[in-house]
Amino acid sequence: MKRFIIWTQAKRLFYLFSEALKELILSYNFECITVYKFVNLQRFELREDDIIIIIGIQFFKLVPELNNFLKNYRKIVYSTEPLCCKNRLKDTVNYFENIHDKNTIIWEYSKYNIEYLKRYDIKNYFIPFGYYKMYENRIKKNKKKSLRY
């Protein structure tokens, strides 16, 4: 059975998205595990046929050894960086060029990014962020806090 490993370095930032994605994958009867932080991924026993979903292309810069560590695995890299901002554009395009190989698929959250990456002949798929049922629980928990401007 295929096994998906969802990994991100930023648990607080991408926790709800990671868990919603995991829930979706499990609904298709695949095995799916979330792993947070690179040190935990290094300790995790990866199988040769695992598919690693990396949430956040920027972590290839922040965790330089990530690309080499995962070079022999099939990867889905979910880009969460906007390509319309000059300060992120150069680095993000460099990440794509450095990690793009036959074992890597790029998921994009933005239609603008999809069109932009066509210039570089980087194959990618539109997988938008969206509403997830599990967000309701988070909203209910935080509703008791007062909002101040």
Side-chain angles (χ1 to χ4, degrees):
M1 177 191 320
K2 271 191 177 50
R3 183 171 78 164
F4 290 85
I5 310 299
I6 299 172
W7 176 84
T8 186
Q9 188 70 3
K11 181 178 181 178
R12 285 181 43 189
L13 183 60
F14 294 119
Y15 176 77
L16 289 177
F17 179 69
S18 299
E19 291 302 314
L21 184 58
K22 177 182 175 181
E23 191 175 292
L24 177 67
I25 292 169
L26 290 171
S27 76
Y28 285 95
N29 295 317
F30 291 114
E31 187 177 352
C32 187
I33 300 163
T34 49
V35 178
Y36 300 99
K37 305 292 181 188
F38 185 63
V39 66
N40 295 325
L41 186 62
Q42 288 175 302
R43 293 180 189 147
F44 191 79
E45 192 172 321
L46 293 171
R47 299 188 308 220
E48 188 177 300
D49 62 341
D50 282 341
I51 299 171
I52 318 297
I53 300 174
I54 300 153
I55 299 176
I57 195 165
Q58 65 274 25
F59 299 120
F60 284 94
K61 180 178 183 180
L62 300 173
V63 184
E65 57 272 39
L66 179 63
N67 198 31
N68 194 44
F69 181 76
L70 295 175
K71 69 181 174 189
N72 295 320
Y73 294 96
R74 293 179 292 167
K75 299 174 287 299
I76 299 170
V77 178
Y78 195 102
S79 173
T80 56
E81 292 295 311
L83 297 181
C84 58
C85 305
K86 285 187 178 184
N87 63 332
R88 295 191 182 175
L89 181 61
K90 183 180 175 189
D91 282 343
T92 304
V93 170
N94 285 338
Y95 306 150
F96 285 123
E97 291 172 347
N98 290 331
I99 64 167
H100 193 67
D101 59 35
K102 64 181 176 134
N103 289 327
T104 305
I105 294 172
I106 306 296
W107 284 354
E108 269 295 345
Y109 77 99
S110 160
K111 286 186 178 182
Y112 176 87
N113 288 5
I114 294 283
E115 292 303 313
Y116 191 89
L117 290 173
K118 285 181 181 177
R119 301 177 197 176
Y120 296 92
D121 198 31
I122 296 172
K123 191 174 183 178
N124 56 77
Y125 299 91
F126 181 57
I127 311 288
F129 280 110
Y131 169 80
Y132 302 102
K133 185 91 173 135
M134 66 185 341
Y135 286 170
E136 289 178 7
N137 293 332
R138 181 82 174 231
I139 292 166
K140 287 175 188 173
K141 287 178 188 175
N142 291 328
K143 201 174 187 180
K144 295 178 183 176
K145 295 180 182 178
S146 65
L147 296 175
R148 296 180 188 186
Y149 292 91

